[in-house]
Amino acid sequence: MAKRVTLSDIAKILNVSNVTVSKALSGQKGVSEELREKIRRLADQMGYRQPSSKRNNSSKNIGVIVPGRYFEIRNSFYWYMYQELATVAVKEKCFTMLEVIEPEDEEKHELPKLIQENKVDGIILLGRPKNGYIKTIREESSLPMVCLDFFDDFSNCDSVISDGFYGTYMLTNYLFRMGHTDIAYVGTLLYTGSITDRYLGYCKSMMEHGQEIRKEWILDDRDWATGDVLSFEFKLPEKMPTAFVCNCDLTASLLIKHLRKLNYRVPEDISVVGFDNYLYPGLSDIGITTYDVNVREMVKKSISILLDRINHVKIKPGVRIVQGEIVYKESVMPPNKDKT
C-alpha cells in the first residue's frame, strides 16, 4: 500500500512550513498566488487528498479521538463525556465518529484512521495523549482541532477545560472551614494536566491557611505506565491526615474502601472529597462531597469552537475554562479529636 501523502511531505520539497501549505490548499490568506499555485500543482502531482471542509452545510462529521487508557475503565468519566458530546452534536446537526487510540499507536505517533482516510471535517481530542502525538497530528493534517479536558500550549490549539484549580481550591477551603488542618492530596502528579491543576489549587489553599505541604501527604493514585487506577495500592503515610482531597471521585471511592479495610471510618475518622461529581452506581455506598464539572457546557463550547474553525470564522485561539460548583454530600465531618 502506497504511503499517504501529507502536508509535511509537500512542505519539505518546497522548503515552506506546514501552515503555509495548509493555507494554500484551503484558500486562506497569507500566501502569494504564485506560491499557492506551485503548492497546488505539487499536491496534485503527488496525489495529496485534502479533507473535505464543504460537505453538506447543515451537517459536519466530527472525529472524537481518545487515548485508549482513558477508556479502559468501563463507564469512565471520559465515556460519559463522549456520550454528552454525541448528544450535543446531534442537536447541532453533526455526527460524531469515535476512534480509540491503542497505546502502541500512540507510542509510534500513528495518525488516527479517521484522519488518514479523510472521514471527518474536524477533530475533538478527548484527554491528553502522550508527548509528541498532538505535534504529529498538527504536522500531518490541516483539520481544525479542539482539545477537550486538557490544555496543550505547544500545539497552539483551542482547549476547553474545567476549573480544576479553583474547584479544588474551594474544596480544600471547605475542609478548613469544617475544622481540618491536616489535609493530604491524592493524585499522580503530571500524569494529566487536570490532576496537576487540582493539586495546585490544593496548594494555594494550604499556603493561604499557613499549612505546610508535606511530601508524604501527596499520594499517587495510579500506575504511571498503564494509568491503572482500579488495582493501584495506596501507600498511606505513617502519620495520617484528618482529610484527603482526591483528584476525582473514582479515586475518592477507592481510597474510602482502602481506609475502611484499615478500620478507619469515613467521615467519622477521616473526611474525603473528590472531583467531577461522576461515579458509576455501586462504586460507593456513601455520597462523596465533590466539585460538579459542567460537562454539558464544556462539550457545547468545544463543538461551537470546532464548527467556527471548520467554517473559517475568525476567533481567537486559546483556553476556555468552564466553571462548576461544589456538591455537598456525606463524606465530610469536623475532625475527630480522639483520633488526632
Side-chain angles (χ1 to χ4, degrees):
M1 183 177 176
K3 179 179 179 293
R4 190 182 64 86
V5 179
T6 66
L7 292 179
S8 185
D9 296 330
I10 299 169
K12 285 177 183 176
I13 292 174
L14 295 176
N15 196 28
V16 296
S17 70
N18 293 346
V19 173
T20 298
V21 176
S22 176
K23 285 183 176 180
L25 295 178
S26 59
Q28 297 180 52
K29 296 178 181 179
V31 184
S32 69
E33 285 306 313
E34 181 182 356
L35 180 57
R36 189 188 304 276
E37 184 57 34
K38 187 182 293 186
I39 290 171
R40 284 176 175 168
R41 197 181 310 119
L42 180 60
D44 288 340
Q45 292 171 358
M46 296 177 70
Y48 174 74
R49 292 188 301 159
Q50 186 177 3
S52 171
S53 62
K54 293 186 178 180
R55 293 185 177 95
N56 188 331
N57 286 334
S58 64
S59 65
K60 300 293 180 185
N61 287 338
I62 297 174
V64 182
I65 298 170
V66 190
R69 62 187 180 279
Y70 297 132
F71 266 14
E72 286 178 353
I73 301 170
R74 189 166 60 92
N75 296 296
S76 68
F77 178 70
Y78 278 155
W79 179 249
Y80 165 58
M81 188 170 274
Y82 170 70
Q83 291 175 312
E84 287 292 319
L85 258 172
T87 301
V88 173
V90 168
K91 292 182 178 179
E92 294 294 331
K93 299 181 180 178
C94 296
F95 301 96
T96 56
M97 303 175 71
L98 174 66
E99 181 169 352
V100 178
I101 305 300
E102 296 298 328
E104 54 269 26
D105 291 337
E106 192 179 353
E107 288 285 353
K108 294 186 297 185
H109 296 178
E110 183 75 23
L111 207 62
K113 298 294 188 296
L114 290 177
I115 297 176
Q116 291 186 37
E117 298 172 8
N118 298 329
K119 288 187 174 180
V120 293
D121 298 289
I123 303 163
I124 292 179
L125 190 52
L126 179 53
R128 179 188 289 278
K130 292 186 176 178
N131 290 340
Y133 194 74
I134 300 179
K135 185 172 182 286
T136 297
I137 294 176
R138 278 297 206 202
E139 290 178 347
E140 301 294 329
S141 169
S142 59
L143 287 173
M145 179 169 66
V146 175
C147 300
L148 178 54
D149 202 42
F150 74 98
F151 173 59
D152 188 88
D153 184 52
F154 178 80
S155 67
N156 191 34
C157 65
D158 298 291
S159 298
V160 178
I161 62 173
S162 63
D163 196 355
F165 179 86
Y166 277 106
T168 312
Y169 170 72
M170 290 188 288
L171 281 167
T172 312
N173 282 347
Y174 168 62
L175 291 173
F176 277 110
R177 290 198 302 272
M178 292 295 287
H180 295 276
T181 55
D182 294 343
I183 305 172
Y185 180 79
V186 189
T188 300
L189 302 185
L190 299 179
Y191 189 83
T192 68
S194 59
I195 291 175
T196 308
D197 287 347
R198 293 166 194 180
Y199 166 71
L200 294 173
Y202 155 84
C203 289
K204 175 179 168 67
S205 177
M206 292 288 283
M207 289 188 291
E208 289 183 352
H209 287 88
Q211 296 300 309
E212 177 187 359
I213 299 168
R214 302 169 57 155
K215 185 177 180 181
E216 65 271 25
W217 284 359
I218 311 303
L219 280 62
D220 286 336
D221 73 328
R222 65 196 67 200
D223 181 272
W224 182 266
T226 65
D228 179 46
V229 177
L230 291 176
S231 60
F232 187 82
E233 288 290 331
F234 294 104
K235 295 179 182 178
L236 298 179
E238 286 188 20
K239 182 183 184 323
M240 288 287 284
T242 63
F244 288 90
V245 175
C246 298
N247 77 91
C248 66
D249 288 349
L250 176 59
T251 290
S253 70
L254 297 172
L255 177 66
I256 289 170
K257 288 180 180 178
H258 186 69
L259 290 170
R260 285 174 172 172
K261 286 181 182 178
L262 300 175
N263 296 319
Y264 289 102
R265 298 171 301 165
V266 177
E268 292 86 354
D269 300 327
I270 294 179
S271 292
V272 177
V273 299
F275 201 101
D276 291 335
N277 196 28
Y278 177 79
L279 194 61
Y280 189 67
L283 288 181
S284 178
D285 60 2
I286 181 175
I288 300 171
T289 294
T290 186
Y291 185 80
D292 183 51
V293 172
N294 192 339
V295 172
R296 178 57 64 94
E297 185 61 26
M298 288 175 69
V299 301
K300 283 173 65 176
K301 280 187 181 294
S302 299
I303 291 173
S304 175
I305 293 166
L306 188 63
L307 290 177
D308 281 345
R309 294 295 182 202
I310 291 171
N311 295 315
H312 303 295
V313 176
K314 289 186 177 180
I315 56 173
K316 201 170 182 178
V319 58
R320 281 78 166 178
I321 300 174
V322 177
Q323 293 182 328
E325 60 182 359
I326 294 180
V327 179
Y328 301 97
K329 299 183 184 178
E330 308 155 23
S331 62
V332 176
M333 284 181 62
N336 185 340
K337 300 301 181 182
D338 295 333
K339 288 281 183 178
T340 58

